[in-house]
Amino acid sequence: RFAHALVRQTLEDELSTLRRVHLHRDLAHAIEGRFGAPDSAVAELAHHFAEAAVAGEGERAAHYAERAATQALDRGAPEQAIELFERALDLLPAEADPDGLLRERLYLQLEHCCWGAADTQRLETVTRRHLKLAGEVDDLVMRWWAVGWFVCSFVSRAVPGPEDLAELTSILSTDLRDVDVAGRQRFSNQGSWCP
């Protein structure tokens, strides 16, 4: 606790980057160890683990950023939720998510937030990243969900370009009857997970 924010800032400025990262990591672990992860501490844990991500805490940072984003949505703060979901995606190490399903979960929630905030330009950018991930992990179901949001991003824009139409045609011409979706959930238009 500091009497004034300037005192805190001065002390932080005097720390080396490595020391600051380790202090954030240690503080996050101390909060987790003492209190667990109550809803009241999620934003603070997201911040400290994000600051310690370079010290191997990227997966935890992404987890808490996702929880903080969900809380922001519950408070009616979609712009803050968008920033937190994007941060979670940036912090999650690819090696912690080899099949892409954790990133897909974040993308679906982020796309829903962009749609709810009527930010179709950002939605397009996000869905392009989602489509790229689906191609990298060669996941047809993931491509279907990404394309669905991709189509939504064209609502207030001009006609899709030739490459976009090729992607849409490719995915929409596949037959999903033989695709196994067991255990996969989708993020519905109502903002909740369902089978």
Side-chain angles (χ1 to χ4, degrees):
R1 295 175 189 262
F2 297 93
H4 195 282
L6 188 58
V7 175
R8 178 183 185 154
Q9 187 61 47
T10 303
L11 289 173
E12 283 184 2
D13 290 345
E14 292 179 5
L15 295 172
S16 70
T17 302
L18 183 60
R19 180 73 180 130
R20 187 179 306 119
V21 166
H22 286 153
L23 283 173
H24 279 290
R25 183 197 61 203
D26 294 346
L27 184 54
H29 284 282
I31 292 169
E32 236 183 7
R34 180 159 184 182
F35 303 109
D39 287 345
S40 60
V42 168
E44 191 173 355
L45 286 166
H47 167 72
H48 291 301
F49 277 120
E51 292 295 319
V54 296
E57 297 292 352
E59 192 171 357
R60 279 174 128 158
H63 167 74
Y64 285 114
E66 179 183 13
R67 283 186 59 190
T70 302
Q71 286 181 350
L73 279 178
D74 291 343
R75 286 191 318 271
E79 286 298 325
Q80 184 183 15
I82 288 170
E83 290 176 22
L84 287 162
F85 281 127
E86 286 180 336
R87 183 180 305 159
L89 279 162
D90 292 340
L91 292 168
L92 184 64
E95 61 271 9
D97 184 33
D99 58 5
L101 295 179
L102 293 175
R103 284 172 286 172
E104 178 187 36
R105 175 186 172 95
L106 294 168
Y107 276 123
L108 290 170
Q109 293 174 100
L110 177 55
E111 288 157 345
H112 184 265
C113 286
C114 291
W115 180 254
D119 191 345
T120 55
Q121 195 165 25
R122 187 182 246 165
L123 178 60
E124 178 189 358
T125 302
V126 171
T127 56
R128 286 186 187 282
R129 289 173 55 198
H130 191 177
L131 280 166
K132 182 178 179 194
L133 171 65
E136 289 170 359
V137 297
D138 194 26
D139 188 320
L140 185 59
V141 175
M142 191 182 298
R143 279 184 71 203
W144 264 97
W145 294 131
V147 161
W149 283 111
F150 193 53
V151 169
C152 292
S153 75
F154 290 108
V155 167
S156 63
R157 296 185 305 117
V159 177
E163 300 88 20
D164 298 332
L165 289 174
E167 176 70 27
L168 295 173
T169 303
S170 167
I171 192 65
L172 294 175
S173 65
T174 58
D175 185 356
L176 285 181
R177 288 180 284 195
D178 296 328
V179 177
D180 180 18
V181 294
R184 297 284 287 271
Q185 291 187 322
R186 71 179 183 90
F187 199 70
S188 74
N189 292 337
Q190 290 76 35
S192 58
W193 293 100
C194 58

